[in-house]
Coordinates of all heavy atoms in Angstrom, one line a residue:
D15 N -12.7 30.0 -14.0 CA -13.6 28.9 -14.4 C -12.7 27.7 -14.8 O -11.8 27.7 -15.7 CB -14.5 29.3 -15.5 CG -15.6 30.3 -15.2 OD1 -15.9 30.5 -13.9 OD2 -16.2 30.9 -16.0
G16 N -13.1 26.5 -14.3 CA -12.5 25.3 -14.7 C -11.1 25.0 -14.0 O -10.5 23.9 -14.3
S17 N -10.6 25.9 -13.2 CA -9.2 25.7 -12.7 C -9.1 24.5 -11.8 O -8.2 23.7 -11.8 CB -8.7 27.0 -12.0 OG -9.6 27.3 -10.9
L18 N -10.2 24.3 -10.9 CA -10.2 23.2 -10.0 C -10.3 21.8 -10.8 O -9.6 20.9 -10.5 CB -11.3 23.4 -9.0 CG -11.4 22.3 -7.8 CD1 -10.0 22.3 -7.1 CD2 -12.5 22.7 -6.9
Q19 N -11.1 21.9 -11.9 CA -11.3 20.7 -12.7 C -10.0 20.3 -13.4 O -9.7 19.1 -13.6 CB -12.4 20.9 -13.8 CG -13.8 21.0 -13.1 CD -14.8 21.4 -14.1 OE1 -14.6 22.2 -15.0 NE2 -16.0 20.8 -14.0
R20 N -9.3 21.3 -13.9 CA -7.9 21.0 -14.5 C -7.0 20.4 -13.6 O -6.3 19.5 -13.9 CB -7.3 22.3 -15.1 CG -8.0 22.9 -16.3 CD -7.3 23.9 -17.1 NE -6.9 25.1 -16.3 CZ -7.7 26.1 -16.0 NH1 -8.9 26.1 -16.6 NH2 -7.2 27.0 -15.3
L21 N -7.0 20.9 -12.3 CA -6.1 20.4 -11.3 C -6.4 19.0 -10.9 O -5.5 18.0 -10.9 CB -6.1 21.3 -10.0 CG -5.4 20.8 -8.9 CD1 -3.9 20.7 -9.1 CD2 -5.7 21.5 -7.6
I22 N -7.7 18.7 -10.7 CA -8.1 17.3 -10.3 C -7.9 16.3 -11.5 O -7.3 15.2 -11.4 CB -9.5 17.3 -10.0 CG1 -9.7 18.0 -8.6 CG2 -10.1 15.8 -9.9 CD1 -11.2 18.3 -8.2
G23 N -8.1 16.8 -12.7 CA -7.9 16.0 -13.9 C -6.4 15.6 -14.0 O -6.0 14.5 -14.4
L24 N -5.5 16.6 -13.8 CA -4.1 16.4 -14.0 C -3.6 15.3 -13.0 O -2.9 14.4 -13.2 CB -3.3 17.7 -13.7 CG -1.8 17.4 -13.6 CD1 -1.2 17.6 -15.0 CD2 -1.2 18.4 -12.7
V25 N -4.1 15.4 -11.7 CA -3.7 14.5 -10.6 C -4.1 13.1 -11.1 O -3.4 12.2 -10.9 CB -4.3 14.9 -9.3 CG1 -4.1 13.9 -8.3 CG2 -3.7 16.3 -8.9
E26 N -5.3 13.0 -11.5 CA -5.9 11.6 -11.8 C -5.2 11.1 -13.1 O -4.8 9.9 -13.1 CB -7.3 11.7 -12.0 CG -8.2 11.9 -10.8 CD -9.6 12.1 -11.0 OE1 -10.1 12.3 -12.1 OE2 -10.3 11.9 -9.9
R27 N -4.8 11.9 -14.1 CA -4.2 11.5 -15.3 C -2.7 11.0 -15.0 O -2.1 10.1 -15.7 CB -4.2 12.5 -16.3 CG -5.5 12.7 -17.1 CD -5.3 13.6 -18.3 NE -4.7 14.9 -18.0 CZ -5.3 15.9 -17.6 NH1 -6.7 15.9 -17.2 NH2 -4.7 17.1 -17.3
R28 N -2.1 11.6 -14.0 CA -0.8 11.2 -13.6 C -0.7 10.0 -12.7 O 0.4 9.7 -12.3 CB -0.1 12.4 -12.9 CG 0.1 13.7 -13.8 CD 1.1 13.3 -15.0 NE 1.2 14.5 -15.9 CZ 0.9 14.5 -17.2 NH1 0.5 13.3 -17.8 NH2 1.0 15.6 -17.9
G29 N -1.7 9.4 -12.5 CA -1.8 8.1 -11.7 C -1.9 8.3 -10.2 O -1.3 7.4 -9.5
F30 N -2.5 9.3 -9.8 CA -2.7 9.5 -8.3 C -4.2 9.4 -8.0 O -5.0 9.9 -8.7 CB -2.1 10.8 -7.8 CG -0.6 10.8 -7.8 CD1 0.1 11.0 -9.0 CD2 0.1 10.5 -6.6 CE1 1.5 11.0 -9.0 CE2 1.4 10.5 -6.6 CZ 2.2 10.7 -7.8
H31 N -4.4 8.9 -6.8 CA -5.8 9.0 -6.1 C -5.8 10.2 -5.2 O -4.9 10.4 -4.5 CB -6.1 7.7 -5.4 CG -6.1 6.5 -6.1 ND1 -7.2 6.2 -7.0 CD2 -5.2 5.4 -6.2 CE1 -6.9 5.0 -7.5 NE2 -5.8 4.4 -7.1
I32 N -6.9 10.8 -5.1 CA -7.1 11.9 -4.2 C -7.8 11.4 -3.0 O -8.9 10.9 -3.1 CB -7.9 13.1 -4.9 CG1 -7.2 13.7 -6.1 CG2 -8.2 14.2 -3.8 CD1 -8.0 14.7 -6.8
D33 N -7.1 11.4 -1.9 CA -7.5 11.0 -0.6 C -8.3 12.0 0.2 O -9.1 11.7 1.1 CB -6.4 10.3 0.3 CG -6.0 9.0 -0.3 OD1 -6.7 8.4 -1.1 OD2 -4.8 8.6 0.1
G34 N -8.0 13.2 -0.1 CA -8.7 14.3 0.6 C -8.3 15.6 0.1 O -7.2 15.8 -0.5
M35 N -9.2 16.7 0.3 CA -9.0 18.0 -0.2 C -9.7 18.9 0.8 O -10.8 18.7 1.1 CB -9.4 18.2 -1.6 CG -9.3 19.5 -2.1 SD -9.8 19.8 -3.8 CE -10.7 18.4 -4.4
S36 N -8.9 20.1 1.1 CA -9.6 21.1 1.8 C -9.3 22.4 1.1 O -8.2 22.6 0.5 CB -9.1 21.2 3.3 OG -7.7 21.5 3.4
M37 N -10.2 23.3 1.1 CA -10.0 24.6 0.4 C -10.4 25.8 1.3 O -11.3 25.7 2.1 CB -10.9 24.6 -0.9 CG -10.5 23.7 -1.9 SD -11.5 23.9 -3.5 CE -13.1 23.3 -2.9
A38 N -9.7 26.9 1.0 CA -10.1 28.2 1.6 C -9.9 29.3 0.6 O -8.9 29.4 -0.1 CB -9.2 28.5 2.8
D39 N -11.0 30.1 0.3 CA -11.0 31.1 -0.7 C -10.3 32.3 -0.1 O -10.4 32.6 1.1 CB -12.5 31.5 -1.1 CG -13.2 30.5 -2.0 OD1 -12.3 29.6 -2.5 OD2 -14.4 30.5 -2.2
E40 N -9.6 33.0 -0.9 CA -8.8 34.2 -0.5 C -8.8 35.2 -1.7 O -8.0 35.3 -2.5 CB -7.3 33.8 -0.3 CG -7.1 32.9 0.9 CD -5.6 32.7 1.2 OE1 -4.8 32.9 0.3 OE2 -5.4 32.3 2.3
G41 N -10.0 35.9 -1.8 CA -10.1 37.0 -2.9 C -10.1 36.1 -4.2 O -11.0 35.3 -4.5
P42 N -9.3 36.5 -5.1 CA -9.2 36.0 -6.4 C -8.6 34.5 -6.5 O -8.6 34.0 -7.6 CB -8.4 37.0 -7.3 CG -7.5 37.6 -6.3 CD -8.3 37.6 -4.9
S43 N -8.1 34.1 -5.5 CA -7.5 32.7 -5.4 C -8.1 31.9 -4.3 O -8.7 32.4 -3.5 CB -6.0 32.8 -5.4 OG -5.7 33.3 -4.1
R44 N -7.6 30.6 -4.3 CA -8.0 29.7 -3.2 C -6.8 28.9 -2.8 O -5.9 28.6 -3.7 CB -9.2 28.9 -3.5 CG -9.2 28.0 -4.7 CD -10.4 27.1 -4.8 NE -11.7 27.8 -4.8 CZ -12.5 27.7 -5.8 NH1 -12.2 27.1 -6.9 NH2 -13.6 28.3 -5.7
R45 N -6.6 28.6 -1.6 CA -5.6 27.7 -1.1 C -6.2 26.3 -1.0 O -7.4 26.2 -0.4 CB -5.0 28.1 0.2 CG -4.2 29.4 0.0 CD -3.6 29.8 1.3 NE -2.8 30.9 1.2 CZ -1.5 31.1 1.7 NH1 -1.1 30.1 2.3 NH2 -0.8 32.2 1.4
I46 N -5.5 25.3 -1.4 CA -5.9 24.0 -1.4 C -4.9 23.1 -0.8 O -3.6 23.2 -1.0 CB -6.2 23.5 -2.8 CG1 -7.2 24.2 -3.5 CG2 -6.6 21.9 -2.8 CD1 -7.5 23.9 -5.0
A47 N -5.3 22.2 0.2 CA -4.4 21.2 0.7 C -5.0 19.9 0.0 O -6.0 19.5 0.3 CB -4.5 21.1 2.2
L48 N -4.1 19.2 -0.8 CA -4.5 18.1 -1.5 C -3.7 16.9 -1.2 O -2.6 16.9 -1.2 CB -4.3 18.4 -3.0 CG -4.9 17.4 -4.1 CD1 -6.4 17.5 -4.0 CD2 -4.3 17.9 -5.5
T49 N -4.4 15.9 -0.5 CA -3.8 14.7 0.0 C -4.0 13.7 -1.2 O -5.1 13.3 -1.5 CB -4.4 14.2 1.3 OG1 -4.3 15.2 2.2 CG2 -3.7 13.0 1.7
V50 N -2.9 13.2 -1.6 CA -2.8 12.2 -2.8 C -2.1 11.0 -2.4 O -1.1 11.0 -1.6 CB -2.2 12.9 -4.1 CG1 -3.2 14.0 -4.5 CG2 -0.8 13.3 -3.9
R51 N -2.3 9.9 -3.2 CA -1.6 8.6 -3.1 C -1.5 8.0 -4.5 O -2.4 8.0 -5.3 CB -2.4 7.7 -2.2 CG -2.0 6.3 -2.0 CD -2.9 5.5 -1.1 NE -4.4 5.9 -1.3 CZ -5.2 5.2 -2.2 NH1 -4.7 4.2 -2.9 NH2 -6.5 5.5 -2.2
G52 N -0.2 7.6 -4.8 CA 0.1 7.0 -6.1 C -0.7 5.7 -6.2 O -0.9 4.9 -5.3
R53 N -1.1 5.4 -7.5 CA -1.7 4.1 -7.7 C -0.8 3.0 -7.6 O -1.1 1.9 -7.4 CB -2.3 4.1 -9.2 CG -3.5 5.0 -9.4 CD -4.1 4.8 -10.8 NE -5.0 5.9 -11.0 CZ -5.1 6.5 -12.1 NH1 -4.4 6.2 -13.1 NH2 -5.9 7.5 -12.2
D54 N 0.5 3.2 -7.8 CA 1.5 2.1 -7.6 C 2.9 2.9 -7.2 O 2.9 4.0 -7.1 CB 1.7 1.4 -8.9 CG 2.1 2.2 -10.1 OD1 3.0 3.1 -10.1 OD2 1.3 2.1 -11.1
A55 N 3.8 2.0 -6.8 CA 5.1 2.6 -6.3 C 5.9 3.3 -7.3 O 6.8 4.1 -7.0 CB 6.0 1.4 -5.8
A56 N 5.6 3.2 -8.6 CA 6.3 4.0 -9.6 C 6.0 5.4 -9.6 O 6.6 6.2 -10.3 CB 6.0 3.3 -11.0
R57 N 4.9 5.8 -9.0 CA 4.4 7.2 -9.1 C 5.3 8.1 -8.2 O 5.4 7.8 -6.9 CB 2.9 7.4 -8.7 CG 2.0 6.4 -9.5 CD 2.0 6.8 -10.9 NE 1.3 5.8 -11.7 CZ 1.3 5.8 -13.0 NH1 1.7 6.9 -13.7 NH2 0.5 4.8 -13.6

Side-chain angles (χ1 to χ4, degrees):
D15 289 345
S17 62
L18 189 56
Q19 291 171 324
R20 286 193 307 274
L21 174 64
I22 291 170
L24 173 90
V25 170
E26 291 177 341
R27 284 190 308 276
R28 295 297 179 236
F30 286 83
H31 296 287
I32 297 173
D33 289 339
M35 179 177 7
S36 63
M37 292 186 288
D39 285 344
E40 296 182 339
S43 65
R44 59 175 53 117
R45 288 187 180 224
I46 300 173
L48 190 64
T49 304
V50 298
R51 172 179 41 90
R53 288 189 196 135
D54 54 55
R57 306 297 168 180

